[in-house]
Amino acid sequence: MKAIGVTREGDEPQLLDVERPEPSEGEALVRTLRVGVDGTDHEVIAGSHGGFPEGEDHMVLGHEAVGVVEDPNGTGMDPGQVVVPTVRRKPDGKTNEYFRRGEPDMAPEGEYVERGIVGGHGYMAEFFTSPADYLVPIDEDLAEYGLFVEPISITEKANEHAFATREPFEWRPESACVLGNGSLGLLTLWMLQQKFDRTYCVGRRDRPDPTIDIIDELGSTYVDSRQTTVDEIPDAHESIDYVYEATGFAPHVIETVHALAPNGVGALLGIPEPWDFEIDGGTLHNEIVLHNKCLIGTVNSHIKHFEYAVETLEDMPEWLLDDLITTVATPEDVAPAFDDDNDQIKAVVEFDSL
Ligand code: NAP
Ligand code: BGC
Ligand code: ZN
């Protein structure tokens, strides 16, 4: 069957011919409809994040998938059910406490594989298999947008964890700032707009630009980080209640602390490479302590976050989802899906339709 992957020799994603997988006990066979591409896929292709499955000369890409159950294989799923797979799996089939508790998203490195990212083949193939427990059903009317469930689930988890840190007191947040105008940042911007009176989104581009058009359309304020650092946003110094970082630009960690209002919380999601730079650690430490500020790191998501994400996707306006999808490529001509130019927001590889 057709699959899109990277090989140890090549540096570009390519069309591969791989064997169609056979479902094991407890697994269903899924026919892939669409798979999205995000910043992490670009990091995997560049070799700065993730890694090949052990002993394999290639890795099938893709972790933002939607498909349809082809063969339930005795799992009780309905043939034809549209589903979205979660990303983390047990390493080598060995279980551990995180998987047993249903919290694989909290497992440390080495205690999981991530399909299409870390040590496991992804979903960019005509068919894939998955334990039925890790397939989240969605309505067939949402099938074309189902690839957004995984990235939305990432923000469901981040928000759950960030807001949980503010639960012990009466937190009345008004403003939020999203760092990054990639697909994760823009999906998150809409989600935060539902909760906050004022929102900002930070990028580093000139107008006209399709992501800034979306920021404007959402009624949010665009901030150009080349002119204004996060903590210098007018009226924002020590006044933003929630900062959501989705750039992978390491200095944003420090700027986040300075931009946060007293009692605010910052969620870090970007995955930067090592980067040395100077900071005033004393002021940073002081500000976090004296203003009850909180920084959290958050990665991945699991079933309940996918379920919340399905509800969120149902509420998202169709114009936004359509504007976010900038390329629909075929497996035979996949290169446009991996073009990383400024007109690209969410590229999709389409294997089949309902
Ligand atoms: P993306 O499409 O590459 O978006 C990153 C955005 O950040 C781009 O629009 C980029 O702008 C912008 N940016 C980078 N440096 C900036 C700076 N100094 N100032 C302003 N904007 C800046 O990636 P994505 O898919 O949205 O994901 C965002 C990050 O989150 C990535 O690092 C990804 O690996 C990570 N991620 C983490 C998780 C998790 O579970 N923690 C999940 C998904 C993604 P330009 O395009 O103009 O360069
Ligand atoms: C994926 C997550 C994954 C993370 C780190 C993200 O792009 O959406 O599921 O845990 O990368 O590899
Ligand atoms: Zn992702």
Side-chain angles (χ1 to χ4, degrees):
M1 67 171 185
K2 289 174 224 157
I4 301 300
V6 281
T7 62
R8 289 186 193 266
E9 300 83 52
D11 48 11
E12 295 294 326
Q14 53 185 275
L15 180 62
L16 305 170
D17 183 19
V18 303
E19 259 182 51
R20 181 171 150 160
E22 287 291 329
S24 314
E25 200 187 330
E27 289 188 334
L29 179 71
V30 179
R31 175 166 53 88
T32 309
L33 299 174
R34 289 177 146 198
V35 185
V37 175
D38 76 353
T40 304
D41 294 302
H42 287 281
E43 291 158 6
V44 169
I45 295 162
S48 66
H49 177 59
F52 284 75
E54 224 173 278
E56 302 261 348
D57 60 358
H58 71 282
M59 179 166 74
V60 176
L61 291 167
H63 60 279
E64 300 181 349
V66 55
V68 55
V69 174
E70 175 82 4
D71 174 6
N73 191 38
T75 57
M77 299 206 80
D78 292 328
Q81 172 68 56
V82 179
V83 288
V84 172
T86 63
V87 176
R88 285 200 175 170
R89 296 290 179 271
K90 297 164 194 165
D92 280 339
K94 284 190 224 109
T95 194
N96 57 47
E97 57 179 303
Y98 302 97
F99 282 85
R100 275 195 292 273
R101 285 205 297 262
E103 295 174 347
D105 54 309
M106 300 309 291
E109 278 179 302
E111 304 258 17
Y112 61 81
V113 299
E114 287 185 346
R115 296 200 54 173
I117 306 176
V118 184
H121 290 301
Y123 302 122
M124 243 181 226
E126 287 177 270
F127 294 90
F128 62 84
T129 56
S130 169
D133 295 351
Y134 294 166
L135 293 172
V136 178
I138 67 164
D139 197 285
E140 67 175 31
D141 293 344
L142 279 179
E144 76 180 292
Y145 302 124
L147 58 109
F148 285 119
V149 170
E150 198 275 345
I152 294 171
S153 77
I154 296 293
T155 299
E156 300 287 0
K157 172 181 171 179
N159 290 351
E160 181 186 53
H161 283 234
F163 299 165
T165 68
R166 309 293 81 188
E167 256 169 30
F169 65 98
E170 199 169 314
W171 190 44
R172 295 196 183 163
E174 290 173 357
S175 59
C177 181
V178 174
L179 311 185
N181 48 341
S183 54
L184 184 64
L186 294 173
L187 284 167
T188 300
L189 188 62
W190 183 86
M191 292 167 73
L192 295 184
Q193 268 212 314
Q194 313 311 300
K195 298 177 190 287
F196 291 86
D197 299 340
R198 275 180 296 129
T199 57
Y200 303 85
C201 185
V202 174
R204 53 176 177 189
R205 297 192 187 171
D206 296 327
R207 294 172 186 271
D209 177 87
T211 66
I212 306 176
D213 290 345
I214 291 177
I215 296 166
D216 289 346
E217 186 69 31
L218 288 173
S220 182
T221 303
Y222 173 65
V223 177
D224 185 338
S225 73
R226 296 167 301 180
Q227 285 143 22
T228 314
T229 59
V230 186
D231 50 316
E232 284 168 350
I233 298 174
D235 306 323
H237 183 74
E238 294 235 32
S239 78
I240 298 184
D241 298 300
Y242 183 38
V243 177
Y244 180 103
E245 179 273 324
T247 56
F249 182 73
H252 276 164
V253 176
I254 316 304
E255 292 175 25
T256 292
V257 172
H258 297 313
L260 281 176
N263 307 334
V265 54
L268 308 177
L269 286 98
I271 307 177
E273 292 184 70
W275 186 348
D276 277 344
F277 54 89
E278 273 187 24
I279 58 164
D280 172 355
T283 302
L284 194 77
H285 189 162
N286 179 297
E287 246 181 68
I288 293 175
V289 173
L290 291 185
H291 289 155
N292 290 295
K293 296 183 182 182
C294 175
L295 273 189
I296 65 157
T298 162
V299 68
N300 198 248
S301 55
H302 198 51
I303 297 286
K304 72 173 169 181
H305 310 114
F306 276 66
E307 289 169 349
Y308 301 153
V310 173
E311 287 174 24
T312 299
L313 181 63
E314 283 166 0
D315 291 342
M316 279 188 165
E318 213 166 310
W319 70 262
L320 174 62
L321 301 171
D322 287 335
D323 284 5
L324 289 174
I325 298 181
T326 43
T327 299
V328 179
T330 60
E332 293 78 11
D333 181 18
V334 81
F338 294 98
D339 271 354
D340 203 10
D341 61 42
N342 277 0
D343 290 336
Q344 190 82 280
I345 306 177
K346 175 62 74 190
V348 171
V349 183
E350 187 164 78
F351 285 86
D352 209 346
S353 49
L354 274 183

